[in-house]
């Protein structure tokens, strides 16, 4: 059922994104189409992704309760499913946009030579708009969830003593879920800042407003979460998710810079074959010393050496952390052994006093 829901959400995102792009290209305001209808259709992919990210985790929380796991496993399993859902939704969105951008073959002016295919002309602008709209919809979803769901739910459960309200109860302030929201917002920044330079600033303002909205929710609407979880284990899990998200977000961005042709009809890189060619063009005009220094720093030998050094440092840090953990476990066992010996000695002394 979980796999089916993920597959269904992926197909829905793919279909809605393709429909939105085709509808926007075929119908313009100048052709008589309502501007409000065009706005709604343009926001359909963002609305769909935001709805899936908000609705499916609630279904996962309900299903995991039926699977009869322990409290710690319930939290981690729900988080894993939520992570897969959110990352998969962004992956499907990127793949869908890639298929639309790279639809068929184009001539030197960026005009499609395939009759059945209409690629996006200014694809950098379109990609930036998608992630901008995702950030806006994510913010609206948080605000609407707090003011239209959590606060009324708290008021109704406090005001009326109905059995259905008692069974539902107020919404819980789920810290791991809120951290996942922050990681998702960071993914939007990583993916979209190349195509929408103002997106990081927008997300900063969004995080500022979301903080106070969530503060209101935590203080007024939501009691603390009842399911226990280990902080250290959850923190390690979040660090792994953040690293995985950064890796996945880096791949399409790096491919856009080094392996994908820019738009020929618009954009600052329209005269370049690839985005990174502008760096070569700029460095070629520098003095000879600076140009050679740049070429040396960006050479494969230097970058490869830096990567190897970083991997060695990561391995060393991991080894040291593991050794410290083993030492802590050893000292803990020693303390428990000494405590048991002291208890045994004390009990023996008490017995000797009683029987003498």
């Amino acid at each position: 059922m979980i796999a089916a829901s993920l597959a269904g959400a992926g197909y829905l995102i793919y279909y809605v994104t393709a429909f939105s792009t085709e509808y926007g290209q075929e119908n313009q305001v100048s052709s008589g189409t309502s501007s409000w209808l065009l706005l709604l259709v343009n926001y359909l992919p963002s609305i769909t992704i935001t709805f899936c990210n908000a609705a499916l985790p609630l279904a996962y929380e309900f299903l995991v309760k039926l699977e009869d796991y322990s409290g710690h496993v319930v939290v981690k399993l729900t988080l894993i499913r939520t992570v897969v859902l959110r990352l998969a939704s962004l992956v499907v969105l990127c793949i869908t946009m890639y298929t639309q951008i790279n639809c068929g073959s184009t001539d030197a002016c960026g005009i499609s030579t395939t009759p059945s295919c209409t690629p996006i002309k200014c694809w950098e602008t379109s990609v930036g708009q998608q992630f901008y709209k995702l950030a806006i919809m994510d913010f609206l979803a948080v605000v609407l969830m707090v003011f239209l769901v959590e606060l009324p739910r708290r008021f109704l459960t406090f005001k009326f003593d109905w059995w259905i309200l008692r069974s539902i109860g107020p919404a819980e302030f789920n810290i791991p879920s809120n951290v996942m929201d922050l990681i998702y917002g960071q993914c939007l920044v990583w993916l979209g800042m190349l195509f929408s330079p103002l997106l990081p600033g927008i997300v900063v303002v969004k995080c500022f407003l979301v903080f106070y909205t969530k503060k209101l929710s935590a203080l007024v609407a939501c009691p603390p979460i009842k399911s226990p979880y280990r902080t250290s284990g959850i923190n390690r899990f979040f660090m792994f998710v953040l690293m995985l998200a950064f890796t996945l977000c880096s791949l399409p961005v790096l491919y856009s810079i080094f392996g994908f042709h820019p738009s020929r009809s618009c954009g600052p890189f329209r005269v370049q074959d690839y985005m990174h060619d502008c760096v070569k063009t700029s460095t070629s005009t520098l003095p000879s010393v600076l140009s050679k220094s740049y070429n040396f720093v960006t050479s494969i030998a230097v970058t490869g050496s830096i990567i190897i050094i970083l991997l060695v440092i990561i391995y060393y840090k991991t080894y040291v952390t593991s050794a410290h953990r083993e030492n802590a476990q050893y000292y803990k066992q020693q303390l428990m052994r000494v405590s048991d010996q002291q208890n045994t000695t004390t009990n023996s002394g008490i017995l000797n006093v009683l029987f003498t």
Side-chain angles (χ1 to χ4, degrees), residues 123-124 194-195 256-257 262 269 273-279:
W123 64 266
E124 296 93 343
L194 176 65
F195 312 102
S256 300
I257 296 174
F269 308 104
D273 291 331
Y274 300 99
M275 290 185 183
H276 75 280
D277 288 343
C278 66
V279 180

Side-chain angles (χ1 to χ4, degrees), residues 58-129:
L58 298 178
Y60 295 158
E61 290 180 4
F62 175 75
L63 290 175
V64 79
K65 293 178 181 178
L66 302 179
E67 295 171 344
D68 197 21
Y69 290 110
S70 61
H72 178 66
V73 176
V74 166
V75 174
K76 275 207 167 182
L77 193 59
T78 305
L79 282 176
I80 290 173
R81 291 169 178 174
T82 305
V83 167
V84 173
L85 170 67
R86 298 209 170 195
L87 294 182
S89 64
L90 294 178
V91 169
V92 172
L93 178 64
C94 292
I95 293 175
T96 306
M97 289 189 295
Y98 174 78
T99 57
Q100 294 171 348
I101 295 168
N102 201 30
C103 175
S105 58
T106 57
D107 56 15
C109 297
I111 301 175
S112 175
T113 57
T114 306
S116 60
C117 174
T118 306
I120 302 174
K121 293 182 179 180
C122 297
W123 64 266
E124 296 93 343
T125 302
S126 178
V127 172
Q129 288 174 349

Side-chain angles (χ1 to χ4, degrees), residues 222-277:
C222 300
I225 185 173
K226 297 179 181 178
S227 302
Y229 61 91
R230 292 180 297 180
T231 306
S232 59
I234 292 294
N235 288 340
R236 289 195 299 269
F237 175 76
F238 283 142
M239 294 301 295
F240 172 76
V241 171
L242 197 61
M243 182 185 67
L244 177 63
F246 177 75
T247 303
L248 292 177
C249 294
S250 299
L251 295 178
V253 174
L254 292 176
Y255 180 72
S256 300
I257 296 174
F258 295 98
F260 203 74
H261 295 289
S263 300
R264 297 302 182 188
S265 57
C266 61
F269 308 104
R270 59 183 179 273
V271 297
Q272 308 288 344
D273 291 331
Y274 300 99
M275 290 185 183
H276 75 280
D277 288 343

Side-chain angles (χ1 to χ4, degrees), residues 23-83:
Y23 188 89
Q25 290 178 342
E26 295 174 358
N27 300 273
Q28 301 294 334
V29 178
S30 58
S31 62
T33 307
S34 173
S35 58
W36 290 103
L37 181 59
L38 278 176
L39 180 65
L40 177 62
V41 172
N42 288 332
Y43 269 86
L44 270 182
S46 304
I47 294 173
T48 304
I49 294 175
T50 304
F51 175 77
C52 292
N53 290 337
L56 289 182
L58 298 178
Y60 295 158
E61 290 180 4
F62 175 75
L63 290 175
V64 79
K65 293 178 181 178
L66 302 179
E67 295 171 344
D68 197 21
Y69 290 110
S70 61
H72 178 66
V73 176
V74 166
V75 174
K76 275 207 167 182
L77 193 59
T78 305
L79 282 176
I80 290 173
R81 291 169 178 174
T82 305
V83 167

Side-chain angles (χ1 to χ4, degrees), residues 263-320:
S263 300
R264 297 302 182 188
S265 57
C266 61
F269 308 104
R270 59 183 179 273
V271 297
Q272 308 288 344
D273 291 331
Y274 300 99
M275 290 185 183
H276 75 280
D277 288 343
C278 66
V279 180
K280 296 181 180 179
T281 304
S282 301
T283 54
S284 62
T285 60
L286 295 174
S288 177
V289 176
L290 295 178
S291 179
K292 290 181 179 179
S293 300
Y294 172 79
N295 293 331
F296 173 75
V297 171
T298 57
S299 63
I300 297 178
V302 175
T303 54
S305 301
I306 293 175
I307 292 174
I308 293 174
I309 292 173
L310 290 176
L311 291 176
V312 171
I313 293 174
I314 292 173
Y315 173 78
Y316 172 75
K317 291 292 185 181
T318 305
Y319 178 79
V320 170

Side-chain angles (χ1 to χ4, degrees), residues 136-151:
I136 297 298
M137 290 306 303
D138 185 56
F139 169 71
L140 292 178
V142 171
V143 174
L144 293 177
M145 182 65 69
V146 171
F147 288 99
L148 298 183
V149 176
E150 294 178 357
L151 287 175

